[in-house]
Amino acid sequence: MHYISTRGETAPMAFQDAVMTGLAPDGGLLLPEEIPEVDEAELDAWRDLEYPQLAAAVMRPFVDLSDEDLEDLVERSYESFREPEVAPVVPVGPLYMLELFHGPTLAFKDVALQFLGNLFALILETRRQQLNIIAATSGDTGSAAIHGVRGKPNIRIFVMHPHGRTSPMQALQMTSVLDENVHNLAVHGTFDDCQSMLKTVFSDGVFKRRYALGAVNSINWARILAQVVYYFYAAFRVMEQESADRVRFCVPTGNFGDIFAGYIAARMGLPIDRLVLASNENDILYRFFDQGLYARGDVSPTLSPSMDIQVASNFERYLYYRLGEDGGAVARLMQTFADTGAIALPADIAPETLFAAGRGDTADTLKAIRSCYEDHGYLLDPHSAVGYSVARRFLHDDVPMICLATAHPAKFGDAVRQATGRDLAHHPVLDALADLPTRCEELPADAAALRAFIEAHAEACA
Ligand SMILES: *Cc1c(COP(=O)(O)O)cnc(C)c1O
């Protein structure tokens, strides 16, 4: 399987190169040359597989790894989950919650980043290369990335967060990781300062090559691929339970990575009748699916910060399919978006039948947390609550609804308190953080300081 760019100007490359490349050289995102179709017989054979075996089966046609390497990789990646099922599906009132928060940092990003960390390590070992990952985080992605690569040979990770501006617990989830290859940098500035320092350092091609700098952002194809698996896993569980022949999913959405994985699963042949996209107040994607216009707005902070995104980096992948796999058309539309901040699809494009969308604002979020707890005794985190709130508007008598639960409620205890008036959300892992030793360096908001830190702590590779 080769990987091509959404903008059509990059030579096809192998899976492992796609993983190491991230963004395509033409500025587009990488996608498999074709999406493998799974027939009935194969679906039947997959139904009863346990999570790691299913993961290997789903990923196999996409990767250039030996069966043995792939099986070993997924096995190790999901061993770190506290729940043996990895992604259990729980009935809650009229729908099902797919719990994706049993990984090391209690958020769904672990599903992809545990896999990506092991995959990086395998590729680097084969190629005898080093990788220095630089990341900027406002909270969750940073800790999932750190836990994905901690202690791994040939990899160092440098994660910047804005000093004093993440929740204390989010900071502790990062700074309590003491492995030698992990460097936490508390920047005296905002998240935007961290991002602009990152961009400045990455824009120096010589420095980037010399220190083999890399990123772990959500455009990496391997992250999407790892997320395709749980759509199959959950659909099999629920179809069996309900004797149903298809399901629908509702996905709390930010960068469009998670729901795009569901789109790939549907295109592979998993019987998904509807993918319901759930936005908070930052609703650019809701407006696109509802009104057909993709137009940038200002970001407003909400109770579900991982969905506070106005430009969804993975959306371009969907556009590629929507525009009939025409890379030139994608490139032109993305240029228009960069110039004007707004695009609509050409009038002759076939209407979308798989996606639907809804919006859940702060009041909806709080109400969902409260009523779900009161009615069903089930505690939602605010991201999952946006999904739950929207999912309830798309219930169907004959098609079961599966709603993705993307974080453990204890990660967002304040929102739970605000919704219920009670201190209900705890998790032993988080409660234990307060007593752990930490390691973190403070840095001024200055790209030169970041550069100097990397020079002092990373070996030059070229
Ligand atoms: C990242 C994240 C999301 C959004 O996922 P995307 O792939 O960016 O759409 C939703 N909920 C939580 C808790 C997250 O961390």
Side-chain angles (χ1 to χ4, degrees), residues 164-352:
R165 290 175 198 243
T166 62
S167 81
M169 201 163 64
Q170 281 179 326
L172 278 172
Q173 277 193 298
M174 296 189 278
T175 59
S176 62
V177 179
L178 302 180
D179 299 74
E180 248 178 70
N181 70 332
V182 173
H183 298 281
N184 278 289
L185 304 169
V187 170
H188 287 278
T190 62
F191 172 61
D192 287 341
D193 291 330
C194 298
Q195 264 191 320
S196 93
M197 290 160 74
L198 182 87
K199 272 196 193 138
T200 307
V201 167
F202 268 102
S203 66
D204 179 345
V206 175
F207 187 79
K208 183 167 179 256
R209 271 190 302 283
R210 184 169 163 77
Y211 286 98
L213 302 187
V216 283
N217 43 26
S218 77
I219 58 161
N220 196 304
W221 169 257
R223 286 184 61 176
I224 306 278
L225 181 58
Q227 294 172 193
V228 174
V229 176
Y230 50 69
Y231 285 90
F232 281 89
Y233 186 79
F236 290 148
R237 299 287 83 68
V238 171
M239 289 196 293
E240 186 187 356
Q241 189 107 24
E242 300 266 335
S243 309
D245 61 359
R246 62 215 152 103
V247 290
R248 46 182 59 182
F249 284 93
C250 181
V251 188
T253 296
N255 258 324
F256 204 75
D258 205 0
I259 197 165
F260 183 74
Y263 177 73
I264 296 288
R267 289 192 63 128
M268 287 175 75
L270 186 67
I272 298 176
D273 97 316
R274 202 47 48 77
L275 280 169
V276 181
L277 180 146
S279 294
N280 64 21
E281 282 92 330
N282 299 291
D283 60 357
I284 178 170
L285 290 165
Y286 162 71
R287 284 182 279 122
F288 173 77
F289 284 105
D290 200 58
Q291 297 143 32
L293 187 70
Y294 188 71
R296 204 190 328 245
D298 290 330
V299 178
S300 43
T302 70
L303 295 173
S304 41
S306 296
M307 295 160 67
D308 292 346
I309 285 161
Q310 279 288 8
V311 176
S313 42
N314 277 294
F315 184 64
E316 179 168 341
R317 287 191 159 115
Y318 168 74
L319 273 184
Y320 176 77
Y321 292 112
R322 200 68 199 277
L323 293 172
E325 308 188 21
D326 177 349
V330 174
R332 285 191 296 280
L333 213 55
M334 292 313 291
Q335 188 58 51
T336 306
F337 185 69
D339 294 342
T340 66
I343 47 176
L345 294 180
D348 58 347
I349 297 291
E352 176 59 73

